[in-house]
Amino acid sequence: MKQWITIAMCVAAVSMSAQEAQKKTVTPYFRNALTTMMVYHPEDEFGYDVYEIFNQLPPLEKYDAHSIKIRVIDNSKISGVKDKPNGGLHRQTYGSSMVLTTAEKENNGRGLEKLLNDAEVGKRIVAKWFDLQGDSVRTAHFSTHLLEERSDYNATVSDVERARYTSEGKYALTNVSEDLLRHSFVLVSDMTYITAEQRADAAKVTLNVLGGIADMLTGGNAGQRMATIAGEIADSFTGFKVFTHSYLYQLVWNDSLSNIFYQNYYTQEPNAERIVAFLDDETSFSIRYLGAASSTYEKTQKKGKYDRTELLELITCRSIDNNVAELQHQFEDFRVKTPITAVEYNAKGKLVGFRAQVGQKEGVKESSTFEVLEAKVEKGRIIYNRVATIKPVNNHIWDNRFNALLENDEDVLVEGTLFKLVGGASKDITPGMIIREI
Protein backbone atom coordinates (compact mmCIF):
# COMPACT_ATOMS: atom_id res chain seq x y z
CA MET A 1 0.00 0.00 0.00
CA LYS A 2 1.32 3.40 -0.91
CA GLN A 3 2.10 5.84 1.88
CA TRP A 4 0.46 9.23 1.60
CA ILE A 5 1.73 12.30 3.39
CA THR A 6 0.32 15.72 4.15
CA ILE A 7 0.78 18.18 1.30
CA ALA A 8 0.93 21.92 2.01
CA MET A 9 -1.72 23.99 0.29
CA CYS A 10 -0.81 26.74 -2.13
CA VAL A 11 -3.60 29.25 -2.60
CA ALA A 12 -3.32 32.24 -4.90
CA ALA A 13 -5.27 35.40 -4.30
CA VAL A 14 -6.63 37.66 -7.01
CA SER A 15 -6.75 41.35 -6.23
CA MET A 16 -8.95 44.06 -7.65
CA SER A 17 -8.40 47.80 -8.00
CA ALA A 18 -10.56 50.58 -9.45
CA GLN A 19 -11.38 54.23 -9.20
CA GLU A 20 -13.20 55.01 -5.96
CA ALA A 21 -16.20 56.34 -7.82
CA GLN A 22 -16.63 53.16 -9.80
CA LYS A 23 -19.02 50.43 -8.79
CA LYS A 24 -17.27 47.21 -7.81
CA THR A 25 -18.73 43.84 -8.73
CA VAL A 26 -17.44 40.78 -6.91
CA THR A 27 -17.74 38.05 -9.53
CA PRO A 28 -17.17 34.55 -8.16
CA TYR A 29 -15.03 32.28 -10.30
CA PHE A 30 -12.85 29.22 -10.02
CA ARG A 31 -9.25 29.09 -11.22
CA ASN A 32 -8.08 25.94 -12.94
CA ALA A 33 -5.74 23.73 -10.90
CA LEU A 34 -2.52 22.72 -12.65
CA THR A 35 0.08 20.07 -11.86
CA THR A 36 3.26 20.54 -13.91
CA MET A 37 5.88 17.93 -14.75
CA MET A 38 8.84 17.53 -17.09
CA VAL A 39 10.53 14.63 -18.87
CA TYR A 40 14.14 14.28 -17.73
CA HIS A 41 16.80 13.10 -20.18
CA PRO A 42 19.86 12.15 -18.09
CA GLU A 43 21.88 11.57 -21.26
CA ASP A 44 21.56 15.21 -22.38
CA GLU A 45 24.49 17.55 -21.77
CA PHE A 46 22.26 20.01 -19.91
CA GLY A 47 19.72 17.47 -18.69
CA TYR A 48 20.46 17.89 -15.00
CA ASP A 49 20.64 21.69 -15.29
CA VAL A 50 17.18 21.75 -16.87
CA TYR A 51 15.94 19.38 -14.17
CA GLU A 52 17.12 21.74 -11.42
CA ILE A 53 15.77 24.84 -13.16
CA PHE A 54 12.36 23.29 -13.74
CA ASN A 55 12.07 22.36 -10.07
CA GLN A 56 12.63 26.01 -9.13
CA LEU A 57 10.36 27.65 -11.70
CA PRO A 58 7.51 29.68 -10.20
CA PRO A 59 4.01 28.25 -10.73
CA LEU A 60 1.95 29.60 -13.61
CA GLU A 61 0.28 32.56 -11.96
CA LYS A 62 -3.13 32.25 -13.64
CA TYR A 63 -3.58 28.72 -12.29
CA ASP A 64 -3.73 27.29 -8.79
CA ALA A 65 -0.57 25.25 -8.28
CA HIS A 66 -1.56 21.69 -7.42
CA SER A 67 1.66 19.98 -6.35
CA ILE A 68 1.48 16.22 -5.80
CA LYS A 69 5.20 15.67 -5.17
CA ILE A 70 5.77 14.22 -8.64
CA ARG A 71 7.61 16.72 -10.81
CA VAL A 72 10.05 14.78 -12.96
CA ILE A 73 9.62 11.72 -15.21
CA ASP A 74 12.78 9.85 -16.19
CA ASN A 75 12.62 9.26 -19.94
CA SER A 76 14.44 5.94 -19.57
CA LYS A 77 11.54 4.62 -17.45
CA ILE A 78 8.93 5.24 -20.16
CA SER A 79 8.04 2.11 -22.11
CA GLY A 80 5.58 1.14 -24.80
CA VAL A 81 5.95 4.28 -26.92
CA LYS A 82 8.66 2.98 -29.23
CA ASP A 83 9.16 -0.56 -30.46
CA LYS A 84 12.07 -1.28 -28.12
CA PRO A 85 11.50 -1.70 -24.34
CA ASN A 86 12.14 1.38 -22.17
CA GLY A 87 12.87 3.36 -25.29
CA GLY A 88 11.43 6.57 -23.89
CA LEU A 89 9.51 9.15 -25.88
CA HIS A 90 9.86 10.13 -29.50
CA ARG A 91 11.86 13.35 -29.43
CA GLN A 92 13.56 15.84 -31.66
CA THR A 93 17.31 15.59 -32.01
CA TYR A 94 19.85 17.99 -33.43
CA GLY A 95 20.59 17.36 -37.07
CA SER A 96 17.18 15.79 -37.82
CA SER A 97 14.11 17.44 -39.25
CA MET A 98 13.38 18.64 -35.67
CA VAL A 99 9.67 17.94 -36.17
CA LEU A 100 7.67 15.16 -34.57
CA THR A 101 4.91 13.64 -36.67
CA THR A 102 1.30 13.72 -35.50
CA ALA A 103 1.47 9.98 -34.87
CA GLU A 104 4.66 10.33 -32.77
CA LYS A 105 3.10 13.04 -30.60
CA GLU A 106 -0.04 10.95 -30.17
CA ASN A 107 2.06 7.94 -29.14
CA ASN A 108 3.96 10.11 -26.66
CA GLY A 109 0.75 11.49 -25.18
CA ARG A 110 -0.84 8.06 -24.79
CA GLY A 111 2.35 6.54 -23.38
CA LEU A 112 2.58 9.26 -20.75
CA GLU A 113 -1.12 8.83 -19.97
CA LYS A 114 -0.55 5.15 -19.13
CA LEU A 115 2.53 5.95 -17.05
CA LEU A 116 0.72 8.66 -15.06
CA ASN A 117 -2.29 6.45 -14.42
CA ASP A 118 -0.02 3.59 -13.35
CA ALA A 119 1.49 6.05 -10.84
CA GLU A 120 -2.05 6.87 -9.61
CA VAL A 121 -1.70 10.55 -10.43
CA GLY A 122 -5.48 10.93 -10.58
CA LYS A 123 -5.85 9.56 -7.06
CA ARG A 124 -3.05 11.84 -5.84
CA ILE A 125 -4.83 14.89 -7.30
CA VAL A 126 -8.05 13.92 -5.51
CA ALA A 127 -6.15 13.34 -2.26
CA LYS A 128 -4.61 16.80 -2.58
CA TRP A 129 -8.02 18.42 -3.13
CA PHE A 130 -9.44 16.75 -0.02
CA ASP A 131 -6.30 17.34 2.04
CA LEU A 132 -5.54 13.73 2.93
CA GLN A 133 -3.31 13.89 5.99
CA GLY A 134 -2.04 11.73 8.84
CA ASP A 135 1.00 9.71 9.88
CA SER A 136 -0.66 6.35 9.14
CA VAL A 137 -3.97 4.89 7.98
CA ARG A 138 -5.06 4.84 11.64
CA THR A 139 -4.76 8.63 11.94
CA ALA A 140 -5.43 9.66 8.33
CA HIS A 141 -8.49 11.73 7.39
CA PHE A 142 -9.76 14.21 4.81
CA SER A 143 -10.99 17.81 4.97
CA THR A 144 -12.58 20.35 2.63
CA HIS A 145 -10.34 23.27 3.65
CA LEU A 146 -8.66 23.57 0.24
CA LEU A 147 -12.00 23.39 -1.57
CA GLU A 148 -13.33 26.11 0.70
CA GLU A 149 -10.31 28.38 0.26
CA ARG A 150 -10.13 28.08 -3.50
CA SER A 151 -13.85 28.53 -4.05
CA ASP A 152 -14.59 31.00 -1.23
CA TYR A 153 -17.07 28.33 -0.29
CA ASN A 154 -16.84 28.97 3.45
CA ALA A 155 -19.18 31.94 3.02
CA THR A 156 -21.95 29.46 2.12
CA VAL A 157 -21.11 26.22 3.92
CA SER A 158 -18.87 26.51 6.94
CA ASP A 159 -17.83 22.89 7.33
CA VAL A 160 -18.35 19.40 5.99
CA GLU A 161 -20.65 18.41 8.84
CA ARG A 162 -23.31 20.79 7.62
CA ALA A 163 -22.86 19.45 4.12
CA ARG A 164 -23.25 15.89 5.37
CA TYR A 165 -26.36 16.46 7.45
CA THR A 166 -28.36 18.97 5.39
CA SER A 167 -29.58 18.28 1.88
CA GLU A 168 -28.88 21.88 0.78
CA GLY A 169 -25.31 21.82 2.08
CA LYS A 170 -24.56 18.39 0.61
CA TYR A 171 -25.90 19.43 -2.80
CA ALA A 172 -23.85 22.64 -2.81
CA LEU A 173 -20.63 20.93 -1.65
CA THR A 174 -21.01 18.23 -4.31
CA ASN A 175 -21.43 20.89 -6.99
CA VAL A 176 -18.49 23.01 -5.90
CA SER A 177 -16.18 20.01 -5.66
CA GLU A 178 -17.32 18.82 -9.10
CA ASP A 179 -16.56 22.23 -10.64
CA LEU A 180 -13.12 22.46 -9.04
CA LEU A 181 -11.98 18.88 -9.55
CA ARG A 182 -13.25 18.77 -13.14
CA HIS A 183 -10.94 21.71 -13.85
CA SER A 184 -7.82 19.91 -12.61
CA PHE A 185 -5.11 19.49 -15.25
CA VAL A 186 -1.66 17.95 -15.62
CA LEU A 187 0.93 19.40 -18.01
CA VAL A 188 3.99 17.34 -18.97
CA SER A 189 6.70 19.10 -21.01
CA ASP A 190 9.51 17.44 -22.96
CA MET A 191 12.34 19.69 -24.13
CA THR A 192 15.21 19.37 -26.59
CA TYR A 193 18.00 21.98 -26.35
CA ILE A 194 20.53 23.09 -28.94
CA THR A 195 23.31 25.44 -27.89
CA ALA A 196 24.49 28.35 -29.98
CA GLU A 197 27.93 26.74 -29.87
CA GLN A 198 26.61 23.53 -31.42
CA ARG A 199 25.08 25.47 -34.28
CA ALA A 200 28.17 27.63 -34.56
CA ASP A 201 30.38 24.53 -34.88
CA ALA A 202 28.15 23.21 -37.64
CA ALA A 203 28.18 26.60 -39.33
CA LYS A 204 31.97 26.81 -39.13
CA VAL A 205 32.30 23.41 -40.79
CA THR A 206 30.07 24.60 -43.60
CA LEU A 207 31.95 27.89 -43.91
CA ASN A 208 35.31 26.11 -43.98
CA VAL A 209 34.13 23.84 -46.77
CA LEU A 210 32.74 26.80 -48.72
CA GLY A 211 35.91 28.77 -48.01
CA GLY A 212 38.05 25.95 -49.38
CA ILE A 213 35.92 25.81 -52.53
CA ALA A 214 36.27 29.58 -52.94
CA ASP A 215 40.06 29.31 -52.59
CA MET A 216 40.19 26.61 -55.25
CA LEU A 217 38.18 28.77 -57.60
CA THR A 218 40.17 31.96 -57.01
CA GLY A 219 43.60 30.53 -56.33
CA GLY A 220 43.88 32.48 -53.07
CA ASN A 221 42.96 32.20 -49.40
CA ALA A 222 40.29 34.91 -49.19
CA GLY A 223 37.58 32.30 -48.70
CA GLN A 224 39.39 30.75 -45.78
CA ARG A 225 39.85 34.19 -44.13
CA MET A 226 36.09 34.76 -44.58
CA ALA A 227 35.36 31.49 -42.81
CA THR A 228 37.73 32.33 -39.94
CA ILE A 229 36.17 35.76 -39.34
CA ALA A 230 32.65 34.32 -39.43
CA GLY A 231 33.70 31.62 -36.97
CA GLU A 232 35.13 34.20 -34.57
CA ILE A 233 31.84 36.12 -34.67
CA ALA A 234 29.91 32.94 -33.91
CA ASP A 235 32.24 32.14 -31.01
CA SER A 236 31.43 35.47 -29.33
CA PHE A 237 27.78 34.51 -28.75
CA THR A 238 26.14 32.05 -26.42
CA GLY A 239 22.57 30.86 -26.14
CA PHE A 240 20.06 28.10 -26.65
CA LYS A 241 17.28 27.07 -28.93
CA VAL A 242 14.63 24.86 -27.36
CA PHE A 243 12.01 22.65 -28.95
CA THR A 244 9.28 21.94 -26.40
CA HIS A 245 6.39 19.50 -26.63
CA SER A 246 3.77 19.78 -23.89
CA TYR A 247 1.12 17.15 -23.25
CA LEU A 248 -2.11 18.08 -21.45
CA TYR A 249 -4.26 15.82 -19.26
CA GLN A 250 -7.46 16.34 -17.30
CA LEU A 251 -8.74 14.66 -14.16
CA VAL A 252 -11.78 12.48 -14.86
CA TRP A 253 -14.43 13.67 -12.42
CA ASN A 254 -18.24 13.62 -12.57
CA ASP A 255 -21.34 13.17 -10.40
CA SER A 256 -20.87 9.41 -10.23
CA LEU A 257 -17.24 9.61 -9.06
CA SER A 258 -18.13 12.37 -6.61
CA ASN A 259 -20.81 10.14 -5.08
CA ILE A 260 -18.39 7.21 -4.84
CA PHE A 261 -15.86 9.37 -3.03
CA TYR A 262 -18.26 10.95 -0.54
CA GLN A 263 -20.23 7.79 0.18
CA ASN A 264 -17.35 5.33 0.39
CA TYR A 265 -14.17 7.20 1.31
CA TYR A 266 -14.62 10.68 2.72
CA THR A 267 -14.12 10.96 6.45
CA GLN A 268 -13.35 14.05 8.50
CA GLU A 269 -12.31 11.95 11.48
CA PRO A 270 -9.69 9.15 11.44
CA ASN A 271 -11.26 6.07 9.90
CA ALA A 272 -8.81 3.37 8.80
CA GLU A 273 -11.42 1.36 6.93
CA ARG A 274 -12.40 4.25 4.67
CA ILE A 275 -8.81 5.38 4.10
CA VAL A 276 -7.65 1.86 3.21
CA ALA A 277 -10.58 1.48 0.82
CA PHE A 278 -9.61 4.75 -0.89
CA LEU A 279 -5.96 3.78 -1.22
CA ASP A 280 -6.87 0.33 -2.56
CA ASP A 281 -9.24 1.70 -5.23
CA GLU A 282 -7.26 1.28 -8.47
CA THR A 283 -10.03 2.04 -10.98
CA SER A 284 -12.09 5.08 -9.95
CA PHE A 285 -9.60 7.94 -10.22
CA SER A 286 -7.73 8.61 -13.46
CA ILE A 287 -6.61 11.29 -15.88
CA ARG A 288 -7.30 11.44 -19.62
CA TYR A 289 -5.13 12.72 -22.44
CA LEU A 290 -6.46 15.85 -24.16
CA GLY A 291 -3.79 16.88 -26.66
CA ALA A 292 -0.37 18.42 -27.25
CA ALA A 293 1.23 21.69 -28.25
CA SER A 294 4.70 22.34 -29.66
CA SER A 295 6.82 25.48 -29.78
CA THR A 296 10.30 26.73 -30.50
CA TYR A 297 12.02 29.42 -28.47
CA GLU A 298 15.48 30.81 -29.08
CA LYS A 299 17.66 33.22 -27.15
CA THR A 300 21.18 34.16 -28.15
CA GLN A 301 23.20 36.87 -26.41
CA LYS A 302 26.69 38.23 -26.56
CA LYS A 303 28.78 36.30 -24.06
CA GLY A 304 28.83 37.97 -20.65
CA LYS A 305 25.28 39.40 -20.58
CA TYR A 306 23.69 36.17 -19.31
CA ASP A 307 25.19 33.07 -17.80
CA ARG A 308 24.06 29.66 -19.01
CA THR A 309 21.70 29.08 -16.08
CA GLU A 310 19.87 32.36 -16.65
CA LEU A 311 19.44 31.63 -20.35
CA LEU A 312 18.19 28.11 -19.66
CA GLU A 313 15.72 29.42 -17.10
CA LEU A 314 14.45 32.09 -19.48
CA ILE A 315 13.86 29.88 -22.51
CA THR A 316 12.51 26.96 -20.43
CA CYS A 317 9.87 29.17 -18.82
CA ARG A 318 8.91 30.98 -22.00
CA SER A 319 8.70 27.88 -24.17
CA ILE A 320 6.33 26.25 -21.67
CA ASP A 321 4.29 29.48 -21.48
CA ASN A 322 3.96 29.44 -25.27
CA ASN A 323 2.59 25.91 -25.21
CA VAL A 324 0.17 26.71 -22.38
CA ALA A 325 -1.18 29.63 -24.44
CA GLU A 326 -1.65 27.33 -27.45
CA LEU A 327 -3.39 24.67 -25.35
CA GLN A 328 -5.75 27.33 -24.02
CA HIS A 329 -6.82 28.04 -27.59
CA GLN A 330 -7.39 24.33 -28.20
CA PHE A 331 -9.35 23.48 -25.04
CA GLU A 332 -12.01 25.79 -23.64
CA ASP A 333 -11.99 24.26 -20.14
CA PHE A 334 -8.25 24.98 -19.88
CA ARG A 335 -8.61 28.70 -20.66
CA VAL A 336 -7.85 31.12 -17.86
CA LYS A 337 -10.41 33.53 -16.48
CA THR A 338 -9.08 36.91 -15.33
CA PRO A 339 -10.86 39.75 -13.52
CA ILE A 340 -11.09 43.27 -14.90
CA THR A 341 -9.07 45.39 -12.48
CA ALA A 342 -10.14 48.87 -13.63
CA VAL A 343 -12.33 50.84 -16.01
CA GLU A 344 -10.22 53.80 -17.16
CA TYR A 345 -11.27 57.32 -18.18
CA ASN A 346 -9.27 60.30 -19.44
CA ALA A 347 -9.20 63.76 -17.85
CA LYS A 348 -12.40 64.72 -19.67
CA GLY A 349 -14.27 61.72 -18.36
CA LYS A 350 -14.25 59.84 -21.66
CA LEU A 351 -13.90 56.08 -21.52
CA VAL A 352 -10.37 54.93 -22.39
CA GLY A 353 -10.76 51.21 -21.88
CA PHE A 354 -10.69 48.28 -19.48
CA ARG A 355 -7.61 46.96 -17.72
CA ALA A 356 -6.90 43.28 -16.92
CA GLN A 357 -3.74 41.47 -15.81
CA VAL A 358 -3.30 39.22 -18.81
CA GLY A 359 -0.73 39.68 -21.57
CA GLN A 360 1.95 38.26 -23.82
CA LYS A 361 2.62 35.36 -21.45
CA GLU A 362 -0.92 34.13 -22.09
CA GLY A 363 -0.54 34.63 -25.85
CA VAL A 364 -2.57 37.85 -26.08
CA LYS A 365 -2.24 39.49 -29.50
CA GLU A 366 -3.88 42.46 -31.18
CA SER A 367 -6.16 39.99 -32.97
CA SER A 368 -7.31 38.37 -29.70
CA THR A 369 -10.93 38.70 -28.60
CA PHE A 370 -12.24 38.24 -25.05
CA GLU A 371 -15.72 37.85 -23.66
CA VAL A 372 -16.77 39.70 -20.51
CA LEU A 373 -18.65 37.37 -18.18
CA GLU A 374 -21.19 38.08 -15.49
CA ALA A 375 -21.52 35.24 -13.01
CA LYS A 376 -24.21 34.13 -10.63
CA VAL A 377 -24.42 31.19 -8.25
CA GLU A 378 -27.29 28.76 -8.66
CA LYS A 379 -27.52 25.92 -6.13
CA GLY A 380 -23.81 26.05 -5.42
CA ARG A 381 -22.77 26.14 -9.09
CA ILE A 382 -21.41 29.17 -10.93
CA ILE A 383 -23.19 30.10 -14.18
CA TYR A 384 -21.54 32.57 -16.58
CA ASN A 385 -23.36 34.88 -19.00
CA ARG A 386 -21.63 36.98 -21.65
CA VAL A 387 -22.39 40.71 -21.39
CA ALA A 388 -19.81 42.18 -23.82
CA THR A 389 -16.75 41.48 -25.97
CA ILE A 390 -13.43 43.35 -25.88
CA LYS A 391 -10.12 43.41 -27.79
CA PRO A 392 -6.62 44.62 -26.82
CA VAL A 393 -5.72 48.20 -27.72
CA ASN A 394 -2.83 48.37 -30.21
CA ASN A 395 0.57 48.78 -28.51
CA HIS A 396 -0.99 48.37 -25.05
CA ILE A 397 -0.50 44.63 -24.53
CA TRP A 398 1.25 43.87 -21.25
CA ASP A 399 4.65 42.18 -21.55
CA ASN A 400 4.37 39.87 -18.55
CA ARG A 401 6.70 37.21 -19.90
CA PHE A 402 9.27 35.71 -17.57
CA ASN A 403 12.07 38.24 -16.84
CA ALA A 404 10.68 40.80 -19.32
CA LEU A 405 11.99 43.70 -17.23
CA LEU A 406 15.55 42.37 -17.24
CA GLU A 407 15.50 41.44 -20.90
CA ASN A 408 14.16 44.75 -22.20
CA ASP A 409 16.41 46.89 -19.98
CA GLU A 410 13.56 49.38 -19.72
CA ASP A 411 10.29 49.92 -17.92
CA VAL A 412 7.55 47.52 -18.99
CA LEU A 413 3.87 48.29 -18.61
CA VAL A 414 2.93 46.76 -15.28
CA GLU A 415 -0.76 47.59 -14.95
CA GLY A 416 -1.95 44.92 -17.38
CA THR A 417 -3.36 44.98 -20.90
CA LEU A 418 -5.72 47.77 -21.97
CA PHE A 419 -8.86 46.56 -23.80
CA LYS A 420 -11.44 48.35 -25.94
CA LEU A 421 -15.12 47.52 -26.32
CA VAL A 422 -16.15 45.78 -29.56
CA GLY A 423 -19.52 44.36 -28.59
CA GLY A 424 -22.14 45.08 -25.93
CA ALA A 425 -22.41 48.17 -23.74
CA SER A 426 -19.61 49.70 -21.65
CA LYS A 427 -22.05 50.46 -18.82
CA ASP A 428 -22.44 46.72 -18.28
CA ILE A 429 -18.72 46.28 -17.51
CA THR A 430 -17.42 46.89 -14.00
CA PRO A 431 -14.20 46.00 -12.16
CA GLY A 432 -14.24 42.45 -10.86
CA MET A 433 -16.06 40.99 -13.85
CA ILE A 434 -14.29 38.09 -15.51
CA ILE A 435 -12.84 38.00 -19.03
CA ARG A 436 -11.98 34.88 -21.03
CA GLU A 437 -10.47 34.59 -24.52
CA ILE A 438 -12.73 33.24 -27.26
Side-chain angles (χ1 to χ4, degrees):
M1 182 182 298
K2 297 179 176 61
Q3 182 179 4
W4 293 76
I5 60 175
T6 303
I7 302 175
M9 294 183 294
C10 177
V11 180
V14 178
S15 61
M16 295 190 307
S17 65
Q19 298 176 4
E20 291 184 2
Q22 294 174 348
K23 174 184 175 183
K24 291 185 179 180
T25 300
V26 179
T27 299
Y29 74 102
F30 298 149
R31 289 155 59 101
N32 291 338
L34 184 63
T35 302
T36 56
M37 304 179 188
M38 68 161 284
V39 178
Y40 170 49
H41 296 273
E43 73 279 7
D44 285 1
E45 180 182 357
F46 298 100
Y48 188 74
D49 299 274
V50 175
Y51 162 84
E52 287 194 318
I53 287 168
F54 182 84
N55 265 335
Q56 297 171 12
L57 284 181
L60 293 171
E61 48 198 50
K62 300 301 180 184
Y63 296 86
D64 282 330
H66 207 75
S67 171
I68 59 170
K69 304 299 183 181
I70 299 176
R71 289 276 283 166
V72 178
I73 301 170
D74 189 330
N75 184 62
S76 66
K77 306 300 182 183
I78 301 173
S79 61
V81 175
K82 298 179 180 179
D83 294 334
K84 55 184 179 180
N86 298 326
L89 298 180
H90 297 288
R91 69 186 305 233
Q92 298 175 173
T93 55
Y94 184 56
S96 69
S97 64
M98 305 301 293
V99 177
L100 293 185
T101 66
T102 301
E104 287 174 332
K105 285 189 281 189
E106 180 71 13
N107 288 341
N108 284 350
R110 296 298 178 187
L112 284 169
E113 179 184 50
K114 182 181 184 305
L115 180 73
L116 295 174
N117 280 324
D118 287 346
E120 298 188 306
V121 165
K123 186 189 293 184
R124 293 171 185 270
I125 291 173
V126 173
K128 167 79 172 185
W129 271 118
F130 290 97
D131 195 19
L132 177 60
Q133 55 189 286
D135 297 329
S136 68
V137 294
R138 295 169 62 99
T139 61
H141 59 90
F142 297 101
S143 81
T144 58
H145 294 156
L146 185 56
L147 287 169
E148 293 170 11
E149 290 187 30
R150 289 190 179 176
S151 66
D152 210 11
Y153 183 64
N154 54 331
T156 306
V157 180
S158 60
D159 55 46
V160 73
E161 291 305 312
R162 178 181 171 189
R164 289 176 62 186
Y165 294 118
T166 69
S167 58
E168 178 186 354
K170 184 175 180 180
Y171 184 77
L173 182 57
T174 300
N175 282 342
V176 77
S177 63
E178 181 181 343
D179 282 334
L180 285 168
L181 272 75
R182 189 171 61 84
H183 287 84
S184 301
F185 297 89
V186 178
L187 184 76
V188 182
S189 294
D190 186 26
M191 292 156 280
T192 299
Y193 289 84
I194 303 168
T195 68
E197 286 77 5
Q198 285 175 310
R199 286 183 294 150
D201 288 342
K204 283 188 287 184
V205 170
T206 302
L207 287 168
N208 283 328
V209 171
L210 293 176
I213 293 174
D215 291 344
M216 285 190 296
L217 293 175
T218 62
N221 61 357
Q224 202 61 46
R225 288 200 306 272
M226 173 195 72
T228 301
I229 293 170
E232 289 172 354
I233 293 173
D235 283 339
S236 67
F237 287 85
T238 187
F240 293 89
K241 185 174 186 178
V242 61
F243 295 83
T244 302
H245 298 284
S246 296
Y247 303 91
L248 184 65
Y249 304 84
Q250 185 174 17
L251 178 69
V252 177
W253 191 261
N254 50 41
D255 286 338
S256 176
L257 291 171
S258 180
N259 289 335
I260 289 173
F261 179 80
Y262 281 113
Q263 292 174 10
N264 299 336
Y265 308 134
Y266 187 86
T267 173
Q268 192 177 15
E269 302 297 332
N271 186 317
E273 183 180 356
R274 281 180 168 258
I275 297 300
V276 169
F278 172 73
L279 296 178
D280 285 346
D281 186 340
E282 298 180 352
T283 59
S284 296
F285 310 108
S286 63
I287 61 171
R288 65 187 182 97
Y289 176 56
L290 296 181
S294 303
S295 67
T296 303
Y297 195 87
E298 182 174 10
K299 188 70 178 176
T300 302
Q301 292 288 344
K302 195 167 182 62
K303 287 183 177 178
K305 182 171 182 179
Y306 288 95
D307 65 25
R308 284 292 184 85
T309 301
E310 290 173 333
L311 277 173
L312 274 172
E313 184 179 36
L314 178 69
I315 66 171
T316 299
C317 192
R318 289 195 178 177
S319 65
I320 293 174
D321 286 344
N322 289 343
N323 283 352
V324 169
E326 172 58 30
L327 289 165
Q328 287 173 11
H329 286 106
Q330 292 184 40
F331 303 102
E332 182 175 340
D333 279 350
F334 189 58
R335 294 174 188 169
V336 298
K337 295 181 287 290
T338 305
I340 290 176
T341 56
V343 179
E344 298 186 3
Y345 299 86
N346 62 20
K348 296 182 179 180
K350 183 179 178 180
L351 177 67
V352 174
F354 313 94
R355 189 76 66 176
Q357 292 188 340
V358 63
Q360 292 184 31
K361 180 176 181 177
E362 291 77 29
V364 177
K365 305 179 180 66
E366 292 180 357
S367 59
S368 301
T369 302
F370 287 74
E371 57 184 348
V372 182
L373 303 172
E374 184 178 46
K376 58 181 179 179
V377 179
E378 293 183 355
K379 296 181 179 180
R381 178 161 291 158
I382 295 181
I383 307 298
Y384 295 99
N385 295 315
R386 181 189 297 184
V387 298
T389 53
I390 56 178
K391 291 181 71 70
V393 176
N394 292 351
N395 301 319
H396 286 272
I397 297 175
W398 184 27
D399 188 356
N400 60 336
R401 296 173 301 165
F402 182 78
N403 271 0
L405 281 169
L406 293 176
E407 181 186 34
N408 294 333
D409 293 327
E410 59 185 17
D411 290 337
V412 177
L413 183 66
V414 296
E415 296 87 356
T417 295
L418 185 65
F419 292 88
K420 61 185 178 182
L421 184 72
V422 295
S426 60
K427 64 181 179 62
D428 294 328
I429 304 177
T430 58
M433 283 188 168
I434 302 305
I435 68 171
R436 180 175 61 188
E437 189 168 6
I438 56 178

